[in-house]
Amino acid sequence: MPSKPTLALIAHDAKKDAMVEFARRHLDKLEDFNLVGTGTTGGRIQEACPGLEITRLKSGPLGGDQQIGAMIAEGKLQGLLFFVDPLSPMPHDVDVKALMRLALVYDLPMALNPSTADILLRSARLTGLKTSSQTPEVSAFAS
């Protein structure tokens, strides 16, 4: 694994503003990662956070999703933040599904919305650890 873990950032068009806002809020944490992003998403993040280094791949529909999928299969990613728009049809929906399938097959930590991404970014799992807590889980119904 590289000295810094690698995190992929992808967002559908209707979710790009949410991804940019997420990057702004978590700038200090994201600096601890090697970042890759699909074309437009990566560009928008670079504009909003000029000090943040992000490797821009191709646009999702032009092969960026598949480039990230290859990184998953090769073990080069430690996490995936993919802000998905469930309400708009995607012409490259098969590529999107293939990417999510690979994340599932390789048990890659993946967040599909900002709330889950907030939690995932605090997880030690992204740095290669198996857990982020030394304490056992406590049932919500315990008295």
Side-chain angles (χ1 to χ4, degrees), residues 33-127:
F33 293 90
N34 291 314
L35 300 173
V36 296
T38 48
T40 308
T41 302
R44 294 272 312 270
I45 292 168
Q46 276 184 327
E47 274 179 26
C49 309
L52 200 59
E53 289 185 40
I54 183 165
T55 300
R56 290 176 62 191
L57 304 174
K58 294 184 180 292
S59 169
L62 298 178
D65 295 335
Q66 292 179 347
Q67 287 178 292
I68 290 178
M71 292 177 76
I72 293 170
E74 294 169 358
K76 293 181 179 177
L77 282 183
Q78 282 68 55
L80 171 62
L81 306 183
F82 189 170
F83 291 2
V84 175
D85 175 13
L87 302 178
S88 299
M90 299 294 147
H92 64 295
D93 194 48
V94 278
D95 297 329
V96 172
K97 287 180 180 171
L99 179 59
M100 292 182 356
R101 181 184 158 279
L102 282 170
L104 291 167
V105 166
Y106 287 93
D107 194 25
L108 183 78
M110 173 179 59
L112 301 177
N113 61 40
S115 295
T116 307
D118 287 337
I119 295 166
L120 184 59
L121 199 54
R122 291 192 305 261
S123 170
R125 179 73 186 266
L126 288 180
T127 61

Side-chain angles (χ1 to χ4, degrees), residues 6-58:
T6 302
L7 186 62
L9 307 173
I10 308 172
H12 284 150
D13 289 346
K15 300 297 181 176
K16 289 191 191 317
D17 288 342
M19 181 60 82
V20 167
E21 177 55 30
F22 177 86
R24 282 188 181 129
R25 278 189 294 119
H26 295 291
L27 184 60
D28 58 329
K29 291 178 185 139
L30 291 175
E31 289 173 339
D32 294 334
F33 293 90
N34 291 314
L35 300 173
V36 296
T38 48
T40 308
T41 302
R44 294 272 312 270
I45 292 168
Q46 276 184 327
E47 274 179 26
C49 309
L52 200 59
E53 289 185 40
I54 183 165
T55 300
R56 290 176 62 191
L57 304 174
K58 294 184 180 292

